[in-house]
């Protein structure tokens, strides 16, 4: 298997530099408020951002509502602080059955494996579709800020979906340059609800198992 040596952070920086200050539209898929915090701080003045909250993997409706409301609160706070660069939010449909369908047969797969890759694809597929329909210049995801997520796989899937739907994926590795550390700092600053599992019932079960050890 070929080793992927691409530096997605540098690739994004080159694209941003090529814009020469022109603010293009960006559909930013967000998994949660904490992960989006450092990304929004980094990109708010560079792109016209619409946050797309589409996460059918979240295990329970109560958990889903808690996360989406926290996302909306964070965006409101950012817009209050920096009103010249307003961030929009678009909430996707909550479709947990979509996740269970793609996870079928992979229920016992360890976190970070094939089930997660299918989940990445599910969410990025929908993001690419919405980006195409809304004529956004770029789309990307906050998922690459997590050290527990496979940034190379996320970028690979994002590029595949961009090609399939005729839109443009913005490469990223948001955890680089202390991005993940900054997300933790901002989570504390804004007192954000920060969950201890990715979202799905399987990651929740793994989290509970770790706590018992």
């Amino acid at each position: 298997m070929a080793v992927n040596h691409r530096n997605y952070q540098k690739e994004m920086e080159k694209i941003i530099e090529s814009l020469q200050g022109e603010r293009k539209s960006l559909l930013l898929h967000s998994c949660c408020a904490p992960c989006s915090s450092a990304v929004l701080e980094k990109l708010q003045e560079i792109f016209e951002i619409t946050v797309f909250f589409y996460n059918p993997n979240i295990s329970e409706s109560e958990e889903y509502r808690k996360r989406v409301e926290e996302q909306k609160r964070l965006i409101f706070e950012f817009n209050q602080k920096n009103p010249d660069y307003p961030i929009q939010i678009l909430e996707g449909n909550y479709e947990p059955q979509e996740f269970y369908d793609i996870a079928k047969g992979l229920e016992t797969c360890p976190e970070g494996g094939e089930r997660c890759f299918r989940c990445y694809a599910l969410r990025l597929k929908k993001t690419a579709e919405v980006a195409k329909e809304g004529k956004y210049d770029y789309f990307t995801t906050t998922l690459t800020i997590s050290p527990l997520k496979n940034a190379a796989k996320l970028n690979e899937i994002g590029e595949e979906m961009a090609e399939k739907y005729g839109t443009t994926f913005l490469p990223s590795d948001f955890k680089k340059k202390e991005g993940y550390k900054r997300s933790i700092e901002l989570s504390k600053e804004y007192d954000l609800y920060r969950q201890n599992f990715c979202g799905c019932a399987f990651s929740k079960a793994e989290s509970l198992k770790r706590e018992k050890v």
Side-chain angles (χ1 to χ4, degrees):
M1 183 181 290
V3 178
N4 187 335
H5 291 299
R6 288 173 63 182
N7 187 320
Y8 297 104
Q9 171 69 21
K10 284 189 176 178
E11 288 184 29
M12 181 181 72
E13 288 172 354
K14 284 182 180 178
I15 290 169
I16 290 172
E17 187 179 346
S18 73
L19 299 179
Q20 297 182 329
E22 183 183 358
R23 293 181 74 235
K24 297 285 190 178
S25 59
L26 171 68
L27 186 68
L28 175 66
H29 167 264
S30 175
C31 54
C32 62
C35 285
S36 72
S37 60
V39 179
L40 292 175
E41 181 182 64
K42 182 181 183 69
L43 301 182
Q44 184 175 14
E45 296 183 13
I46 299 170
F47 293 97
E48 294 178 0
I49 300 175
T50 297
V51 169
F52 181 47
F53 193 91
Y54 177 71
N55 298 291
N57 58 306
I58 296 176
S59 58
E60 300 158 358
S61 58
E62 183 180 354
E63 178 72 19
Y64 174 86
R65 289 312 323 163
K66 189 184 292 186
R67 295 193 192 193
V68 76
E69 291 307 322
E70 201 70 337
Q71 181 72 76
K72 291 175 180 177
R73 180 174 72 84
L74 178 67
I75 290 171
F76 176 79
E77 299 265 5
F78 265 59
N79 287 343
Q80 290 286 100
K81 192 174 182 179
N82 203 347
D84 292 335
Y85 302 97
I87 299 164
Q88 308 297 323
I89 182 162
L90 177 62
E91 184 182 349
N93 294 330
Y94 178 46
E95 305 168 318
Q97 192 56 49
E98 294 285 325
F99 169 74
Y100 286 113
D101 287 346
I102 61 99
K104 194 171 182 180
L106 297 169
E107 293 85 355
T108 60
C109 181
E111 194 167 355
E114 182 60 31
R115 186 184 66 240
C116 291
F117 296 165
R118 290 191 187 182
C119 185
Y120 299 166
L122 173 66
R123 291 185 276 178
L124 285 169
K125 176 178 183 289
K126 179 63 73 172
T127 308
E129 289 175 347
V130 173
K132 175 66 173 178
E133 290 167 7
K135 298 181 180 178
Y136 290 88
D137 296 308
Y138 296 95
F139 76 96
T140 195
T141 178
T142 63
L143 286 165
T144 64
I145 203 166
S146 170
L148 299 176
K149 300 292 185 292
N150 187 322
K153 193 68 178 178
L154 283 161
N155 279 276
E156 176 190 317
I157 293 169
E159 289 170 350
E160 287 174 0
M161 295 303 172
E163 185 175 353
K164 181 176 180 179
Y165 291 98
T167 185
T168 306
F169 181 74
L170 182 70
S172 76
D173 195 349
F174 290 118
K175 66 179 169 290
K176 293 286 184 71
K177 295 191 174 180
E178 299 194 325
Y180 177 66
K181 179 184 175 184
R182 182 59 181 153
S183 74
I184 294 172
E185 292 170 351
L186 287 168
S187 295
K188 291 178 181 175
E189 182 181 331
Y190 289 94
D191 193 26
L192 296 175
Y193 165 63
R194 193 177 182 91
Q195 61 285 346
N196 61 355
F197 67 102
C198 180
C200 76
F202 312 114
S203 65
K204 185 177 182 179
E206 281 193 39
S207 175
L208 291 171
K209 190 183 292 184
R210 287 193 298 269
E211 288 176 5
K212 290 178 181 178
V213 174

